[in-house]
Amino acid sequence: MRITHFIAVATLIMAVAATSCKTSEANYRAAYDKAVAGRNDATPIDSTIYGKVRRDMQTTVLVAGNDTAELRVMHVNPTPADNGSATSLPEPYGVVAGQFKTLFNARSLCARLVDAGYSDASIVNTAEPYYYVVASWHPGGKEAIAALRSLEKEAPVAMREPLPFVLRIAGYKK
């Protein structure tokens, strides 16, 4: 009798457990609402390490004749090549075509730009690191804006807002 009673109780427990695990629209809705609330309450980018890059970056307007462009001024360093050697920063103004958290992705875009005819494309990084792929370097703002407009027109690679933009190296020394 005890074994039969035990089997009946076990079967009842399994039946209750099996029916309580079913997904329903209410369960999906609750999970969705929780995900949306978590997304809305998530730490904003400004309080993360990548937000620090944005906070340290000075944004202004670069004027050249009748044309203007957004200018971002920040401290950057040349990214070492695969052989470990770092080159110097060639000019104070660069036209940025990509920004990445990973060096692998930055190198991939840089290679595509070189293949598209941007022979002096290179990668610079911030202290965090955050990697910027620079399509071309220029000695002055006027040349940088002209290159920016050319890059926007040609669009050899996919770019999303806020790209492309002109970067001026803070404290540039040749």
Side-chain angles (χ1 to χ4, degrees), residues 43-58 74 101 126 128-130 132:
T43 304
I45 188 79
D46 285 341
S47 65
T48 66
I49 195 163
Y50 298 106
K52 182 179 181 335
V53 171
R54 293 185 182 139
R55 286 190 306 275
D56 290 346
M57 183 175 10
Q58 300 170 12
M74 66 185 314
K101 295 176 187 175
T126 63
E128 274 59 54
Y130 203 69
Y132 292 100

PDB file of all heavy atoms in Angstrom, residues 43-58 74 101 126 128-130 132:
ATOM      1  N   THR A  43      22.352  51.355 -16.903  1.00  0.00           N
ATOM      2  CA  THR A  43      23.338  52.400 -16.702  1.00  0.00           C
ATOM      3  C   THR A  43      23.562  53.130 -18.008  1.00  0.00           C
ATOM      4  O   THR A  43      23.891  52.512 -19.017  1.00  0.00           O
ATOM      5  CB  THR A  43      24.668  51.769 -16.244  1.00  0.00           C
ATOM      6  OG1 THR A  43      24.419  51.001 -15.086  1.00  0.00           O
ATOM      7  CG2 THR A  43      25.693  52.832 -15.952  1.00  0.00           C
ATOM      8  N   PRO A  44      23.381  54.430 -18.025  1.00  0.00           N
ATOM      9  CA  PRO A  44      23.609  55.156 -19.263  1.00  0.00           C
ATOM     10  C   PRO A  44      25.077  55.105 -19.672  1.00  0.00           C
ATOM     11  O   PRO A  44      25.960  54.946 -18.828  1.00  0.00           O
ATOM     12  CB  PRO A  44      23.175  56.588 -18.944  1.00  0.00           C
ATOM     13  CG  PRO A  44      23.134  56.673 -17.469  1.00  0.00           C
ATOM     14  CD  PRO A  44      22.974  55.284 -16.933  1.00  0.00           C
ATOM     15  N   ILE A  45      25.317  55.245 -20.978  1.00  0.00           N
ATOM     16  CA  ILE A  45      26.675  55.141 -21.511  1.00  0.00           C
ATOM     17  C   ILE A  45      27.604  56.162 -20.872  1.00  0.00           C
ATOM     18  O   ILE A  45      28.782  55.922 -20.720  1.00  0.00           O
ATOM     19  CB  ILE A  45      26.677  55.276 -23.053  1.00  0.00           C
ATOM     20  CG1 ILE A  45      28.057  54.975 -23.644  1.00  0.00           C
ATOM     21  CG2 ILE A  45      26.264  56.672 -23.471  1.00  0.00           C
ATOM     22  CD1 ILE A  45      28.370  53.549 -23.745  1.00  0.00           C
ATOM     23  N   ASP A  46      27.060  57.300 -20.448  1.00  0.00           N
ATOM     24  CA  ASP A  46      27.907  58.341 -19.874  1.00  0.00           C
ATOM     25  C   ASP A  46      28.565  57.921 -18.569  1.00  0.00           C
ATOM     26  O   ASP A  46      29.564  58.507 -18.169  1.00  0.00           O
ATOM     27  CB  ASP A  46      27.110  59.630 -19.659  1.00  0.00           C
ATOM     28  CG  ASP A  46      26.857  60.340 -20.971  1.00  0.00           C
ATOM     29  OD1 ASP A  46      27.581  60.047 -21.946  1.00  0.00           O
ATOM     30  OD2 ASP A  46      25.943  61.168 -21.019  1.00  0.00           O
ATOM     31  N   SER A  47      28.037  56.917 -17.872  1.00  0.00           N
ATOM     32  CA  SER A  47      28.654  56.494 -16.626  1.00  0.00           C
ATOM     33  C   SER A  47      29.582  55.291 -16.822  1.00  0.00           C
ATOM     34  O   SER A  47      30.164  54.803 -15.870  1.00  0.00           O
ATOM     35  CB  SER A  47      27.588  56.175 -15.587  1.00  0.00           C
ATOM     36  OG  SER A  47      26.836  55.070 -16.007  1.00  0.00           O
ATOM     37  N   THR A  48      29.721  54.817 -18.052  1.00  0.00           N
ATOM     38  CA  THR A  48      30.612  53.701 -18.321  1.00  0.00           C
ATOM     39  C   THR A  48      31.971  54.207 -18.764  1.00  0.00           C
ATOM     40  O   THR A  48      32.184  55.405 -18.950  1.00  0.00           O
ATOM     41  CB  THR A  48      30.042  52.796 -19.440  1.00  0.00           C
ATOM     42  OG1 THR A  48      30.026  53.539 -20.655  1.00  0.00           O
ATOM     43  CG2 THR A  48      28.651  52.306 -19.095  1.00  0.00           C
ATOM     44  N   ILE A  49      32.899  53.297 -18.961  1.00  0.00           N
ATOM     45  CA  ILE A  49      34.254  53.677 -19.376  1.00  0.00           C
ATOM     46  C   ILE A  49      34.239  54.331 -20.758  1.00  0.00           C
ATOM     47  O   ILE A  49      34.994  55.258 -21.025  1.00  0.00           O
ATOM     48  CB  ILE A  49      35.195  52.451 -19.342  1.00  0.00           C
ATOM     49  CG1 ILE A  49      36.637  52.898 -19.403  1.00  0.00           C
ATOM     50  CG2 ILE A  49      34.885  51.488 -20.459  1.00  0.00           C
ATOM     51  CD1 ILE A  49      37.610  51.842 -18.978  1.00  0.00           C
ATOM     52  N   TYR A  50      33.327  53.900 -21.647  1.00  0.00           N
ATOM     53  CA  TYR A  50      33.252  54.504 -22.964  1.00  0.00           C
ATOM     54  C   TYR A  50      32.592  55.880 -22.899  1.00  0.00           C
ATOM     55  O   TYR A  50      32.853  56.733 -23.723  1.00  0.00           O
ATOM     56  CB  TYR A  50      32.528  53.581 -23.949  1.00  0.00           C
ATOM     57  CG  TYR A  50      33.292  52.297 -24.111  1.00  0.00           C
ATOM     58  CD1 TYR A  50      32.849  51.124 -23.539  1.00  0.00           C
ATOM     59  CD2 TYR A  50      34.500  52.285 -24.790  1.00  0.00           C
ATOM     60  CE1 TYR A  50      33.585  49.960 -23.654  1.00  0.00           C
ATOM     61  CE2 TYR A  50      35.232  51.124 -24.910  1.00  0.00           C
ATOM     62  CZ  TYR A  50      34.777  49.964 -24.339  1.00  0.00           C
ATOM     63  OH  TYR A  50      35.503  48.829 -24.450  1.00  0.00           O
ATOM     64  N   GLY A  51      31.763  56.086 -21.887  1.00  0.00           N
ATOM     65  CA  GLY A  51      31.205  57.411 -21.668  1.00  0.00           C
ATOM     66  C   GLY A  51      32.284  58.399 -21.270  1.00  0.00           C
ATOM     67  O   GLY A  51      32.207  59.585 -21.582  1.00  0.00           O
ATOM     68  N   LYS A  52      33.319  57.916 -20.578  1.00  0.00           N
ATOM     69  CA  LYS A  52      34.425  58.793 -20.188  1.00  0.00           C
ATOM     70  C   LYS A  52      35.114  59.364 -21.421  1.00  0.00           C
ATOM     71  O   LYS A  52      35.494  60.534 -21.449  1.00  0.00           O
ATOM     72  CB  LYS A  52      35.439  58.037 -19.329  1.00  0.00           C
ATOM     73  CG  LYS A  52      36.589  58.916 -18.858  1.00  0.00           C
ATOM     74  CD  LYS A  52      37.543  58.148 -17.989  1.00  0.00           C
ATOM     75  CE  LYS A  52      38.688  58.961 -17.465  1.00  0.00           C
ATOM     76  NZ  LYS A  52      39.113  60.112 -18.178  1.00  0.00           N
ATOM     77  N   VAL A  53      35.249  58.559 -22.457  1.00  0.00           N
ATOM     78  CA  VAL A  53      35.837  59.041 -23.712  1.00  0.00           C
ATOM     79  C   VAL A  53      35.005  60.189 -24.249  1.00  0.00           C
ATOM     80  O   VAL A  53      35.530  61.225 -24.647  1.00  0.00           O
ATOM     81  CB  VAL A  53      35.914  57.902 -24.755  1.00  0.00           C
ATOM     82  CG1 VAL A  53      36.316  58.432 -26.117  1.00  0.00           C
ATOM     83  CG2 VAL A  53      36.858  56.821 -24.288  1.00  0.00           C
ATOM     84  N   ARG A  54      33.695  60.017 -24.235  1.00  0.00           N
ATOM     85  CA  ARG A  54      32.821  61.075 -24.743  1.00  0.00           C
ATOM     86  C   ARG A  54      32.855  62.315 -23.868  1.00  0.00           C
ATOM     87  O   ARG A  54      32.786  63.433 -24.359  1.00  0.00           O
ATOM     88  CB  ARG A  54      31.398  60.545 -24.867  1.00  0.00           C
ATOM     89  CG  ARG A  54      31.290  59.483 -25.932  1.00  0.00           C
ATOM     90  CD  ARG A  54      29.863  59.052 -26.115  1.00  0.00           C
ATOM     91  NE  ARG A  54      29.836  57.999 -27.112  1.00  0.00           N
ATOM     92  CZ  ARG A  54      29.099  56.924 -27.034  1.00  0.00           C
ATOM     93  NH1 ARG A  54      28.307  56.755 -26.006  1.00  0.00           N
ATOM     94  NH2 ARG A  54      29.130  56.013 -27.964  1.00  0.00           N
ATOM     95  N   ARG A  55      32.947  62.131 -22.549  1.00  0.00           N
ATOM     96  CA  ARG A  55      32.997  63.288 -21.647  1.00  0.00           C
ATOM     97  C   ARG A  55      34.295  64.068 -21.828  1.00  0.00           C
ATOM     98  O   ARG A  55      34.312  65.290 -21.723  1.00  0.00           O
ATOM     99  CB  ARG A  55      32.856  62.845 -20.191  1.00  0.00           C
ATOM    100  CG  ARG A  55      31.454  62.442 -19.817  1.00  0.00           C
ATOM    101  CD  ARG A  55      31.326  62.240 -18.314  1.00  0.00           C
ATOM    102  NE  ARG A  55      32.294  61.317 -17.749  1.00  0.00           N
ATOM    103  CZ  ARG A  55      32.157  59.996 -17.710  1.00  0.00           C
ATOM    104  NH1 ARG A  55      31.099  59.425 -18.232  1.00  0.00           N
ATOM    105  NH2 ARG A  55      33.082  59.230 -17.159  1.00  0.00           N
ATOM    106  N   ASP A  56      35.395  63.364 -22.067  1.00  0.00           N
ATOM    107  CA  ASP A  56      36.696  64.020 -22.224  1.00  0.00           C
ATOM    108  C   ASP A  56      36.851  64.678 -23.586  1.00  0.00           C
ATOM    109  O   ASP A  56      37.732  65.493 -23.779  1.00  0.00           O
ATOM    110  CB  ASP A  56      37.837  63.022 -22.025  1.00  0.00           C
ATOM    111  CG  ASP A  56      37.955  62.574 -20.578  1.00  0.00           C
ATOM    112  OD1 ASP A  56      37.348  63.223 -19.704  1.00  0.00           O
ATOM    113  OD2 ASP A  56      38.651  61.579 -20.330  1.00  0.00           O
ATOM    114  N   MET A  57      36.004  64.319 -24.524  1.00  0.00           N
ATOM    115  CA  MET A  57      36.106  64.841 -25.874  1.00  0.00           C
ATOM    116  C   MET A  57      35.423  66.206 -25.947  1.00  0.00           C
ATOM    117  O   MET A  57      34.301  66.371 -25.489  1.00  0.00           O
ATOM    118  CB  MET A  57      35.434  63.873 -26.847  1.00  0.00           C
ATOM    119  CG  MET A  57      35.541  64.284 -28.274  1.00  0.00           C
ATOM    120  SD  MET A  57      34.862  63.084 -29.458  1.00  0.00           S
ATOM    121  CE  MET A  57      34.012  61.892 -28.506  1.00  0.00           C
ATOM    122  N   GLN A  58      36.120  67.164 -26.493  1.00  0.00           N
ATOM    123  CA  GLN A  58      35.537  68.490 -26.702  1.00  0.00           C
ATOM    124  C   GLN A  58      34.952  68.516 -28.109  1.00  0.00           C
ATOM    125  O   GLN A  58      35.621  68.145 -29.063  1.00  0.00           O
ATOM    126  CB  GLN A  58      36.598  69.560 -26.566  1.00  0.00           C
ATOM    127  CG  GLN A  58      37.270  69.605 -25.217  1.00  0.00           C
ATOM    128  CD  GLN A  58      38.475  70.534 -25.234  1.00  0.00           C
ATOM    129  OE1 GLN A  58      38.685  71.288 -26.161  1.00  0.00           O
ATOM    130  NE2 GLN A  58      39.256  70.455 -24.185  1.00  0.00           N
ATOM    131  N   MET A  74      40.358  65.638 -29.046  1.00  0.00           N
ATOM    132  CA  MET A  74      40.685  64.731 -27.941  1.00  0.00           C
ATOM    133  C   MET A  74      42.100  64.204 -28.047  1.00  0.00           C
ATOM    134  O   MET A  74      42.737  64.289 -29.097  1.00  0.00           O
ATOM    135  CB  MET A  74      39.687  63.585 -27.860  1.00  0.00           C
ATOM    136  CG  MET A  74      39.692  62.640 -29.022  1.00  0.00           C
ATOM    137  SD  MET A  74      38.405  61.380 -28.935  1.00  0.00           S
ATOM    138  CE  MET A  74      38.510  60.796 -27.297  1.00  0.00           C
ATOM    139  N   LYS A 101      35.155  49.324 -30.162  1.00  0.00           N
ATOM    140  CA  LYS A 101      35.645  48.924 -28.849  1.00  0.00           C
ATOM    141  C   LYS A 101      36.730  47.856 -28.983  1.00  0.00           C
ATOM    142  O   LYS A 101      37.484  47.633 -28.060  1.00  0.00           O
ATOM    143  CB  LYS A 101      34.498  48.388 -27.993  1.00  0.00           C
ATOM    144  CG  LYS A 101      33.455  49.431 -27.677  1.00  0.00           C
ATOM    145  CD  LYS A 101      32.310  48.815 -26.905  1.00  0.00           C
ATOM    146  CE  LYS A 101      31.186  49.798 -26.730  1.00  0.00           C
ATOM    147  NZ  LYS A 101      30.027  49.197 -26.085  1.00  0.00           N
ATOM    148  N   THR A 126      42.219  55.774 -27.713  1.00  0.00           N
ATOM    149  CA  THR A 126      42.192  56.561 -26.493  1.00  0.00           C
ATOM    150  C   THR A 126      42.754  55.701 -25.370  1.00  0.00           C
ATOM    151  O   THR A 126      43.081  54.531 -25.578  1.00  0.00           O
ATOM    152  CB  THR A 126      40.750  56.979 -26.162  1.00  0.00           C
ATOM    153  OG1 THR A 126      39.985  55.798 -25.910  1.00  0.00           O
ATOM    154  CG2 THR A 126      40.129  57.774 -27.291  1.00  0.00           C
ATOM    155  N   GLU A 128      41.211  54.346 -22.964  1.00  0.00           N
ATOM    156  CA  GLU A 128      40.274  53.364 -22.421  1.00  0.00           C
ATOM    157  C   GLU A 128      40.503  51.911 -22.843  1.00  0.00           C
ATOM    158  O   GLU A 128      40.248  51.070 -22.017  1.00  0.00           O
ATOM    159  CB  GLU A 128      38.849  53.777 -22.788  1.00  0.00           C
ATOM    160  CG  GLU A 128      38.256  54.746 -21.808  1.00  0.00           C
ATOM    161  CD  GLU A 128      39.039  56.046 -21.654  1.00  0.00           C
ATOM    162  OE1 GLU A 128      39.318  56.740 -22.609  1.00  0.00           O
ATOM    163  OE2 GLU A 128      39.408  56.327 -20.508  1.00  0.00           O
ATOM    164  N   PRO A 129      40.793  51.410 -23.934  1.00  0.00           N
ATOM    165  CA  PRO A 129      40.960  51.995 -25.247  1.00  0.00           C
ATOM    166  C   PRO A 129      39.651  51.995 -26.030  1.00  0.00           C
ATOM    167  O   PRO A 129      38.797  51.133 -25.862  1.00  0.00           O
ATOM    168  CB  PRO A 129      41.960  51.067 -25.916  1.00  0.00           C
ATOM    169  CG  PRO A 129      41.652  49.722 -25.346  1.00  0.00           C
ATOM    170  CD  PRO A 129      41.206  50.003 -23.925  1.00  0.00           C
ATOM    171  N   TYR A 130      39.534  52.962 -26.864  1.00  0.00           N
ATOM    172  CA  TYR A 130      38.460  53.093 -27.837  1.00  0.00           C
ATOM    173  C   TYR A 130      39.183  53.389 -29.134  1.00  0.00           C
ATOM    174  O   TYR A 130      40.058  54.253 -29.165  1.00  0.00           O
ATOM    175  CB  TYR A 130      37.529  54.242 -27.430  1.00  0.00           C
ATOM    176  CG  TYR A 130      36.143  54.150 -28.003  1.00  0.00           C
ATOM    177  CD1 TYR A 130      35.255  53.170 -27.596  1.00  0.00           C
ATOM    178  CD2 TYR A 130      35.713  55.064 -28.946  1.00  0.00           C
ATOM    179  CE1 TYR A 130      33.977  53.091 -28.115  1.00  0.00           C
ATOM    180  CE2 TYR A 130      34.431  54.997 -29.465  1.00  0.00           C
ATOM    181  CZ  TYR A 130      33.576  54.015 -29.044  1.00  0.00           C
ATOM    182  OH  TYR A 130      32.303  53.940 -29.564  1.00  0.00           O
ATOM    183  N   TYR A 132      39.609  54.523 -33.061  1.00  0.00           N
ATOM    184  CA  TYR A 132      39.071  55.326 -34.157  1.00  0.00           C
ATOM    185  C   TYR A 132      39.839  54.984 -35.425  1.00  0.00           C
ATOM    186  O   TYR A 132      41.071  55.003 -35.432  1.00  0.00           O
ATOM    187  CB  TYR A 132      39.212  56.822 -33.880  1.00  0.00           C
ATOM    188  CG  TYR A 132      38.337  57.297 -32.754  1.00  0.00           C
ATOM    189  CD1 TYR A 132      38.844  57.500 -31.487  1.00  0.00           C
ATOM    190  CD2 TYR A 132      36.985  57.532 -32.964  1.00  0.00           C
ATOM    191  CE1 TYR A 132      38.034  57.934 -30.450  1.00  0.00           C
ATOM    192  CE2 TYR A 132      36.166  57.963 -31.931  1.00  0.00           C
ATOM    193  CZ  TYR A 132      36.703  58.161 -30.680  1.00  0.00           C
ATOM    194  OH  TYR A 132      35.888  58.581 -29.664  1.00  0.00           O
TER     195      TYR A 132
END
